[in-house]
Amino acid sequence: MSDVRSFRQRLLAGDRLVGTFLKTPTSHATEIVASLGFDFVVIDQEHAPFDRTTTDIALMAARGSNIPALVRVSGPEAVLSVLDCGASGILMPHVVSAEHAREVAALCRYRGGRRGYATSTRAGGYTAVPMWQHIRAADDAVTVIAQIEDPEALDEIDAIAAVEGIDSLFIGRGDLTAAFGNETPNPPEVRTAVERICLAARKADKPVSVYVGARPEAEWLRDQGATTFIHNSDQGFLRQAAMKGLAEMRDVLG
């Protein structure tokens, strides 16, 4: 990444950022994605087989490849370890209330929060970074994104968006679609939920983050005000390229 500002600074400034999910627990996908010019990656502990060791390896690859790496954590118990390993921030699933959002934010901050202190970690330069320098730098740089994917969260969406320390709202359209149970394409309940979340984010002056698989939904969500886009995943890109390559070879071979 050529921009010298931190990922959090770019996110809060409303820069349009494009990242992708990493689902394969190795260092290689991180290095490949970084070389292509993506703005960030999201290591997916929630829906992929990342444990503490493989997450650490992917974060090491991100550090070596100069690409910010968030982690979609499996739950609150994973927050400290991924931050110690050098994650640029976290994506917390299923944030359903303002109280929950405050708890998540507190786990990621030293001052005014409850993050456990250590500099014997990658984040602390393996004791090379002085205590208060590390605390200031970490509190300034760590990004905290709340994933809104439950209908009950919509009842508190303005309060969630207003929580200090929550940097962005991520719209979980897949879980919202499943929760509403409407099997028609582009369910109106989900579109309404997206609009409500985006309105709450605008009122709180918080950026909106989204997942997109294709251009039409990216254009719609951009027009709704989203600025941070997670596009596809390493596995998705592999499948698409493999399908294309196989089709070409079948065509050649007849």
Side-chain angles (χ1 to χ4, degrees), residues 105-171:
L107 291 173
C108 299
R109 297 283 182 263
Y110 289 116
R111 293 184 185 271
R114 295 191 292 108
R115 178 177 173 179
Y117 170 76
T119 56
S120 58
T121 60
R122 182 180 295 122
Y126 301 108
T127 72
V129 182
M131 178 178 186
W132 292 106
Q133 179 182 332
H134 168 65
I135 287 174
R136 283 191 296 271
D139 283 350
D140 285 345
V142 168
T143 301
V144 185
I145 302 177
Q147 186 160 316
I148 309 300
E149 53 189 334
D150 302 275
E152 56 264 41
L154 301 176
D155 296 331
E156 285 198 50
I157 192 59
D158 288 336
I160 293 171
V163 169
E164 184 177 357
I166 295 297
D167 296 314
S168 177
L169 302 181
F170 178 88
I171 305 175

Side-chain angles (χ1 to χ4, degrees), residues 23-140:
K23 305 280 190 176
T24 309
T26 71
S27 61
H28 308 113
T30 309
E31 295 172 305
I32 292 168
V33 167
S35 72
L36 296 174
F38 280 80
D39 295 299
F40 67 100
V41 294
V42 182
I43 297 163
D44 192 4
Q45 283 188 344
E46 185 189 20
H47 290 299
F50 279 97
D51 58 19
R52 182 165 184 165
T53 298
T54 51
T55 299
D56 182 62
I57 291 169
L59 287 169
M60 180 175 63
R63 181 71 63 94
S65 301
N66 196 33
I67 187 169
L70 307 177
V71 179
R72 179 157 71 176
V73 293
S74 54
E77 68 285 347
V79 171
L80 180 59
S81 69
V82 304
L83 295 182
D84 280 350
C85 289
S88 300
I90 66 156
L91 173 57
M92 177 62 74
H94 296 289
V95 176
V96 296
S97 68
E99 180 181 2
H100 187 190
R102 284 189 289 271
E103 292 171 354
V104 171
L107 291 173
C108 299
R109 297 283 182 263
Y110 289 116
R111 293 184 185 271
R114 295 191 292 108
R115 178 177 173 179
Y117 170 76
T119 56
S120 58
T121 60
R122 182 180 295 122
Y126 301 108
T127 72
V129 182
M131 178 178 186
W132 292 106
Q133 179 182 332
H134 168 65
I135 287 174
R136 283 191 296 271
D139 283 350
D140 285 345

Side-chain angles (χ1 to χ4, degrees), residues 211-214 231-247:
Y211 171 84
V212 294
H231 175 49
N232 214 319
S233 70
D234 57 342
Q235 291 180 350
F237 290 132
L238 172 63
R239 188 172 190 274
Q240 289 174 354
M243 288 176 63
K244 180 181 178 182
L246 178 60

